[in-house]
Amino acid sequence: MELTTQQQTTAFLWAFVLGAVIEVIYFIIASVRAAVPPDKTHIFIVDLLFMLSVSCLNMLYAISQTEGKVRLYVIFAETLSFVALYFTLGRFLKQKFAKLVLGIITIYNGQTKKAVKKYIQMSSYFKQKYGTLHRKEKK
């Protein structure tokens, strides 16, 4: 059974949205990667997860919109949407988002250092306090 013109048009327009969603996922990964340079293992795992998530999205999209068939106009619309966002809005916002991620990481590291320092102080206090109580029991 062939798709009607209305179904094809709907699939084409929703493919633009899917391309934008894929660009947002890629944008987040690229921004984090720009803020914190990863090692080779991290790059491999993140790229693998990205490819798997995009392929799952495309498969679910094809099943829901085009009766499970890959259509050239859908691939064209996804690619066009991705490329348009990547070269316009993506490049502009990537640097801003990378600075935001770096700021969040800095705040997190600062809070973690404070928490570790407080834990060390508390543990040394309890060690000193309970250590003296323990010595009194031995007498």
Side-chain angles (χ1 to χ4, degrees):
M1 183 171 152
E2 286 296 315
L3 296 174
T4 65
T5 306
Q6 181 183 6
Q7 289 172 323
Q8 290 179 9
T9 305
T10 303
F12 180 73
L13 294 175
W14 277 109
F16 280 108
V17 175
L18 182 59
V21 169
I22 293 170
E23 164 56 25
V24 168
I25 294 169
Y26 181 79
F27 169 76
I28 292 170
I29 292 170
S31 298
V32 171
R33 203 178 272 174
V36 181
D39 59 346
K40 290 180 181 181
T41 307
H42 182 259
I43 291 173
F44 175 76
I45 291 170
V46 171
D47 285 351
L48 183 67
L49 289 174
F50 175 73
M51 288 186 300
L52 288 173
S53 65
V54 168
S55 62
C56 285
L57 284 172
N58 279 317
M59 181 186 69
L60 292 173
Y61 178 80
I63 289 171
S64 70
Q65 295 291 323
T66 61
E67 298 176 352
K69 296 177 183 174
V70 178
R71 306 283 180 160
L72 187 59
Y73 60 86
V74 170
I75 294 170
F76 175 75
E78 281 183 33
T79 306
L80 185 65
S81 174
F82 181 88
V83 169
L85 284 173
Y86 178 80
F87 285 113
T88 57
L89 198 57
R91 290 232 171 150
F92 173 72
L93 292 178
K94 186 175 165 184
Q95 299 300 325
K96 308 291 184 202
F97 193 73
K99 288 180 183 178
L100 176 69
V101 168
L102 195 58
I104 290 171
I105 290 171
T106 304
I107 291 170
Y108 174 77
N109 287 339
Q111 295 300 322
T112 304
K113 287 179 184 177
K114 287 180 184 178
V116 167
K117 186 176 179 182
K118 193 60 120 173
Y119 172 76
I120 291 171
Q121 289 174 348
M122 287 173 47
S123 64
S124 65
Y125 170 76
F126 286 128
K127 184 190 277 185
Q128 183 183 30
K129 187 76 168 172
Y130 289 120
T132 57
L133 289 175
H134 185 65
R135 284 188 220 125
K136 289 180 182 177
E137 289 176 8
K138 287 185 177 180
K139 291 182 182 180

